[in-house]
């Protein structure tokens, strides 16, 4: 009996997933590999996937505050981050902040993302990590490492990093953290993880042991839970 899941993808909510997909394809060089009635999957150059989930009542995050927090963001890598950020703005992004080797922007749906400098990266932009906000980043990193049979590869005051099978999840320490309360529209989720499970019952039980809460259980194809920080995630077969 397998009691751990496998990370499939992070899915971001948006009112207009078609526009958002075109933005990321044009910016990164990735490709659309699925479009089912507005649910769109985009594959990165190294085979990872990001999902875009249609949500008619989606309210964009307002970074950096916690009244309408970002919750998740993408960390992207390119050699020539300034030029890439300029191109993102021409495609519909909004510049939010800047550091010596990174620029924070908001995509057309309002989700913040970081373009970071990495020398030697080719013309296709790389996905370094999906970064998840948390009130206790180290604890949430260990939760997902245990649930996904991944390894905590970094842990510090500002957050933690979990890695496995060519994928990274980063956890960012947030002061005054505002947790989602799905499906309450007043406390929206902005994104969620999809996790593959060979045995839904076993992986759900393991998640609950580790501190998750069942939000919508009992199905034969998927279950929805919340992690200890309140982020919803789906277990699917």
């Amino acid at each position: 009996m397998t009691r751990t899941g496998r990370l499939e993808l992070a899915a971001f909510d948006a009112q207009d997933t078609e526009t958002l997909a075109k933005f990321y394809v044009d910016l990164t060089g990735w490709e659309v590999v699925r479009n089912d009635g507005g649910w769109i999957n985009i594959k990165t150059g190294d085979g990872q996937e990001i999902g875009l989930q249609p949500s008619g009542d989606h309210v964009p995050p307002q970074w950096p505050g916690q009244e309408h927090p970002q919750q998740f963001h993408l960390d992207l890598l390119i050699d020539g981050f300034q030029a890439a950020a300029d191109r993102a703005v021409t495609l519909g992004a909004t510049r939010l902040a800047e550091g010596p080797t990174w620029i924070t922007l908001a995509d057309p749906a309002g989700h913040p993302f970081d373009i970071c400098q990495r020398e030697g990266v080719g013309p296709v932009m790389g996905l370094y990590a999906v970064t998840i906000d948390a009130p206790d980043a180290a604890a949430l990193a260990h939760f997902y490492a245990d649930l996904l049979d991944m390894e905590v590869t970094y842990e510090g005051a500002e957050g933690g990093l979990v890695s496995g099978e060519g994928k990274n999840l980063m956890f960012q320490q947030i002061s005054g953290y505002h947790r989602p309360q799905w499906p309450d529209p007043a406390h929206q989720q902005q994104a969620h993880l999809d996790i593959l499970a060979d045995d839904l019952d076993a992986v759900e039980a393991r998640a609950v042991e580790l501190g998750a809460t069942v939000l919508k259980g009992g199905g034969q194809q998927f279950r929805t839970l919340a992690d200890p920080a309140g982020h919803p995630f789906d277990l699917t077969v």
Side-chain angles (χ1 to χ4, degrees), residues 127-172:
L127 172 61
Y128 175 66
V130 174
T131 298
I132 302 174
D133 291 356
D136 187 338
L140 197 59
H142 282 278
F143 167 84
Y144 278 109
D146 290 344
L147 182 62
L148 300 172
D149 195 23
M150 297 171 76
E151 180 182 359
V152 177
T153 54
Y154 174 79
E155 188 174 336
E158 71 281 12
L161 180 67
V162 170
S163 304
E165 297 186 348
K167 299 176 181 179
N168 293 324
L169 292 175
M170 190 179 296
F171 300 90
Q172 179 170 259

Side-chain angles (χ1 to χ4, degrees), residues 59 66 70 145 175 180:
V59 176
Q66 282 296 300
Q70 66 174 359
S175 177

Side-chain angles (χ1 to χ4, degrees), residues 172-206:
Q172 179 170 259
Q173 186 73 32
I174 297 296
S175 177
Y177 175 76
H178 183 99
R179 61 190 289 133
Q181 299 176 31
W182 184 89
D184 183 351
H187 304 276
Q188 286 188 331
Q189 70 170 20
Q190 291 292 341
H192 73 273
L193 296 181
D194 279 349
I195 296 170
L196 298 173
D198 294 330
D199 186 326
L200 280 177
D201 291 336
V203 179
E204 179 185 291
R206 178 59 176 158

Side-chain angles (χ1 to χ4, degrees), residues 83-142:
D86 290 343
R87 187 170 74 255
V89 171
T90 67
L91 293 170
T94 303
R95 190 182 291 250
L96 299 177
E98 185 170 347
T101 60
W102 54 268
I103 295 174
T104 300
L105 304 101
D107 67 25
H111 298 292
F113 64 98
D114 288 343
I115 297 180
C116 306
Q117 174 66 21
R118 175 67 63 87
E119 294 184 5
V121 176
V124 176
M125 195 173 288
L127 172 61
Y128 175 66
V130 174
T131 298
I132 302 174
D133 291 356
D136 187 338
L140 197 59
H142 282 278

